[in-house]
Each structure stands twice: as C-alpha cells, then as structure tokens.
Amino acid sequence: MKNQPLKLASLGIQHVLAMYAGAVIVPLIVGGALGLSGEQLTYLVSIDIFMCGIATLLQVWSNRFFGIGLPVVLGCTFTAVGPMIAIGGQYGISAIYGSILVSGLFVIAISKYFGKLVRFFPPVVTGSVVTIIGITLIPVAMNNMAGGQGSADFGSLENLSLAFGTLVFILFLYKFFTGFVRSVSILLGLMAGTAVAFVLGEVDFSAVGDASWFHMAKPFYFGMPTFEITAILTMILVAMVSLVESTGVYFALADITDKKISEEDLARGYRAEGLAIVLGGLFNAFPYTAYSQNVGLVQLSGVKRNNVIYATGAFLVILGLVPKIGALTTVIPASVLGGAMVAMFGMVVAYGIKMLSHVNFASQENLLIIACSVGMGLGVTAVPELFAQMPSSIQILTDNGIVAGSLTAIGLNIFFNVLSKRKLNVIMSEQKAS
C-alpha cells in the first residue's frame, strides 16, 4: 500500500510519455507554419499540454452532462493540422480559433444524435478524408526536412543528414523494440536528433532561458476570434471525422475494461469532446480527440483503472503551467522535426488506407467514391485557383482541398450507398406487400 501512490504516478507518467510527442508536435508544426515567434510558440506548446490535461479530466470524469468514464486520454487531433495551416495561411490565426469554437459548439449540439449520423461517415468516407489530409501534409514535412521554408541553409547536407538520421533512428526503434519503447519512438527520435544537432551547434537554448517558470492560461491570447464560413465548414468536418475515430476508441476501451456503453454514454463522451474543443478555441489551443496510442498502453499494461488517467490529466496540467518545459520543445531544429514528420504524416496516410481496408472494394461505387474524393481533394490543393471564377457562395465549398474532397466523399456516399439502400428497402417492402 505504501508504494501505491508511486505506482499510480509512474503509470500516469507512462501515459503522458505515450502521447507527449503527438501532443507537442502539433503546435510545433502549426506554429512553425504560421511563423509564430519563439515566445508565441512556447505559449502554444504550453497551453496545448495544459488543455490536453483538462480535456482528459473532462472525459474520464463521468457525470450527468459529460464524460464517458473510460480510461481515455485526449490530445490534439492530427486530422486538424493540415486544415489549421490552410485556414491560418488564408484567413489568419484568428479564423482558426473562430472555426474551432463553432465546431466545438456544433459537436455539443449534435452529441445526442451523432450515433444516428454515423451512417453518413462509413470507412469509405472517413478513410478518404484522413488519406487526403495525410497526403496534403507531406509537403510540410519535406520543407522542414530541408531546414524550413525560406531558411538560408535550405536543403543543406547538414539539414538533410539530421532529418534522415532522425527518421532512420525512429525506424530502428520500431524494428528492434516493442511495447513502451516503440510507443514513444517519435519522442526518442526527436530527443536523439536534437542532441546531435546540439553537438553540431545547431540548437539555441535562448527561448528556454527567456521563458518563465510559471504562467496562467490566457483566453484569446492571439486576439479575438474571427469567423469565416469556409474555415468553419472545414473544422466541422474535421470534428465529425474525429468523433468517428473517438467512437472506435470508446468501444475498444469498453471491450478492454469489460464495460457496456449505452447511447447515453456515447452522447456524454461526444459532449465532453465538444466542450474540450470549445475550451481549446477560447484559450487558443487545439481541437481534441481520444488518443488511440493510449488504448494500446491500457492493453499492454493491463491497468484499466480510471485513477491512473486522473493522474495523467493532473501531470499534463502541471506540465502545461511551466513554460520552461514547453520552451524546451521549441529548440528542436526544423530538420529534426521534419524527419519525425515524415513518419508521423506518413502514418496519417497509412491510417487512412487502413480505414479504407474495411471498405468493400468489390463495389464499383465505393471505388468511385474514393477515386473522386481523393482526386478532388488533391486537385484543389494542387491547383487552388481552379474555381476562382465561380461565385463566392460556391467557392466557400471549393477553395479548400480538404473541404472539397470531404464533401465529395459524403455526397457520393449518400448518392451511391444511402439512397440506393433506402430504394432497395422500399422495393422489398412493396414486394412483400404484394
């Protein structure tokens, strides 16, 4: 019994480590792409870690209104990285947080009914959307591997060596280790790459020295949010895809913990995610979703108690209140980050393909849905001026590749699968009646 608090703390820290690289790399990528200063980037990393803790606590604490009460760890969703960079580049950072706020309120509003909407988001839709998002992120990784867009030493041998060295080290860890080491391989790869870069004199620790030891979360740190229809539509689609992914996590954890979850449990889980997204918008953090990597850790460790996740949430909140810890992550050179991005963004693509593996490829209709949605998504991304001559009301749906591809997938799925099934049911019922 004396070692119980120590054991609880160690298990909580293990969960923190399993999700830490994913939680930290999102603000680094988005902040870097938007050209944030060192001070702003430190805030973004710190508030993200803090909000990951708050979001996790909201989800694990089950009550009448929100929280599914399973050992769920929430973190910022990778699905939002590409859209956020696109929104920030087109409308500015304030539009990112306006769209996050609205998408969170939308999730809360539909939480009770989302179970009935899932049929509009089968694997052929979600898999296509995630694949499009993953592919559109790859150029971001390539630019960072070369040293960051606009850098004086872009594409230098030193940058490429650091990038590929980091990637090779991550692959080495995946090949020769299992379990926990494999689950934190990205984090270890970033640490190893930064250590080599430090020896080469490529790491500047001034941001750590300038950062304070303690800060409080500030609402609207980057200014008051603005609201753009295209940005809002994009983030709502991202939120819907994240909810579908989270549903899978809920059922996986329910199976592991031998707990049956009802429709009301799911609604509380969705509501908790919506609330976490709203708070992310208010405090200029990110949209949050259930992290699947922590499900694997629950399975591997065999520890299924919620108090471990309470400890995880508490550790994340504490870490988020110490900007010096957040500043440590901002010293990672762009090339090292780029090497890790190739693996991480490639995994987003691979995950999208894995989701598509559940699709019936014998159906020509499904093949057309995937072909047209991915083609439209990549086409608009590659040639953004394609619909420049169209009315502004049409451009709302077409000036973003992810929105265009997602809406194509949803529309074609309704046309080929939902309506055809309804028509078939009507025919069958008529035949029975006759």
Side-chain angles (χ1 to χ4, degrees):
M1 291 297 289
K2 286 182 180 179
N3 293 328
Q4 197 70 14
L6 188 62
K7 184 180 179 182
L8 186 67
S10 62
L11 289 168
I13 290 169
Q14 187 171 251
H15 272 286
V16 170
L17 290 173
M19 58 81 70
Y20 195 77
V24 164
I25 205 166
V26 170
L28 290 179
I29 295 164
V30 174
L34 297 178
L36 299 185
S37 67
E39 183 183 342
Q40 290 173 324
L41 200 54
T42 296
Y43 175 83
L44 197 62
V45 172
S46 298
I47 194 63
D48 177 47
I49 297 167
F50 177 83
M51 288 307 304
C52 283
I54 297 296
T56 297
L57 292 173
L58 287 174
Q59 191 63 283
V60 77
W61 173 39
S62 181
N63 55 71
R64 286 180 59 193
F65 305 104
F66 58 83
I68 199 163
L70 291 168
V72 183
V73 175
L74 268 67
C76 39
T77 173
F78 268 96
T79 313
V81 172
M84 287 175 71
I85 292 172
I87 292 167
Q90 189 169 357
Y91 301 110
I93 196 167
S94 60
I96 294 176
Y97 294 111
S99 62
I100 290 174
L101 275 170
V102 176
S103 68
L105 293 171
F106 179 81
V107 168
I108 293 171
I110 66 161
S111 57
K112 189 176 178 180
Y113 313 101
F114 187 73
K116 298 177 179 65
L117 297 174
V118 170
R119 67 196 181 103
F120 295 110
F121 294 88
V124 70
V125 173
T126 54
S128 297
V129 172
V130 173
T131 303
I132 293 165
I133 289 169
I135 294 172
T136 56
L137 283 171
I138 297 299
V140 179
M142 294 296 110
N143 278 318
N144 275 277
M145 287 183 81
Q149 202 163 18
S151 62
D153 59 348
F154 189 86
S156 69
L157 184 61
E158 190 172 272
N159 283 336
L160 294 178
S161 298
L162 283 170
F164 282 105
T166 301
L167 178 59
V168 168
F169 184 68
I170 291 168
L171 296 175
F172 174 84
L173 293 176
Y174 258 86
K175 171 69 175 173
F176 295 105
F177 292 88
T178 56
F180 183 64
V181 172
R182 178 180 280 194
S183 71
V184 296
S185 58
I186 298 288
L187 184 64
L188 295 174
L190 289 171
M191 291 169 66
T194 304
V196 173
F198 175 72
V199 172
L200 297 173
E202 293 292 313
V203 179
D204 180 12
F205 283 101
S206 59
V208 181
D210 294 339
S212 60
W213 280 104
F214 179 80
H215 78 152
M216 288 301 293
K218 301 173 187 174
F220 306 123
Y221 177 84
F222 292 106
M224 293 300 291
T226 55
F227 303 94
E228 300 286 343
I229 295 294
T230 305
I232 289 166
L233 278 174
T234 304
M235 209 53 73
I236 284 175
L237 284 167
V238 167
M240 298 282 271
V241 172
S242 294
L243 285 184
V244 174
E245 293 176 26
S246 292
T247 304
V249 171
Y250 298 158
F251 280 111
L253 282 169
D255 185 60
I256 292 169
T257 57
D258 299 316
K259 178 183 175 182
K260 287 184 179 180
I261 50 176
S262 64
E263 202 170 291
E264 185 53 40
D265 290 327
L266 287 173
R268 285 198 301 270
Y270 300 144
R271 214 169 284 129
E273 287 201 21
L275 188 55
I277 294 170
V278 169
L279 290 173
L282 287 173
F283 290 98
N284 291 171
F286 298 96
Y288 293 95
T289 189
Y291 264 20
S292 55
Q293 54 262 54
N294 290 85
V295 177
L297 197 53
V298 171
Q299 181 75 67
L300 284 168
S301 66
V303 180
K304 308 167 186 178
R305 300 191 307 275
N306 284 355
N307 57 354
V308 172
I309 307 302
Y310 278 117
T312 302
F315 279 125
L316 288 168
V317 168
I318 293 166
L319 289 172
L321 291 172
V322 185
K324 279 198 183 293
I325 295 173
L328 272 174
T329 63
T330 67
V331 306
I332 301 171
S335 53
V336 173
L337 201 57
M341 281 178 188
V342 172
M344 298 189 81
F345 295 165
M347 284 297 283
V348 175
V349 179
Y351 187 61
I353 295 169
K354 182 183 175 185
M355 292 166 83
L356 289 173
S357 69
H358 299 292
V359 174
N360 176 19
F361 284 112
S363 165
Q364 193 70 26
E365 289 87 350
N366 284 337
L367 291 176
L368 273 171
I369 293 169
I370 297 165
C372 292
S373 60
V374 173
M376 183 62 73
L378 293 184
V380 172
T381 301
V383 189
E385 63 274 14
L386 177 65
F387 296 104
Q389 302 301 318
M390 300 294 284
S392 57
S393 57
I394 301 294
Q395 287 186 49
I396 286 169
L397 306 176
T398 58
D399 67 356
N400 180 295
I402 295 164
V403 173
S406 301
L407 291 178
T408 302
I410 293 166
L412 290 179
N413 176 65
I414 292 170
F415 179 70
F416 282 124
N417 294 329
V418 177
L419 292 179
S420 60
K421 283 179 183 175
R422 186 176 294 173
K423 188 176 180 182
L424 183 64
N425 289 335
V426 169
I427 293 169
M428 289 178 68
S429 62
E430 286 175 351
Q431 286 175 344
K432 284 180 182 178
S434 61

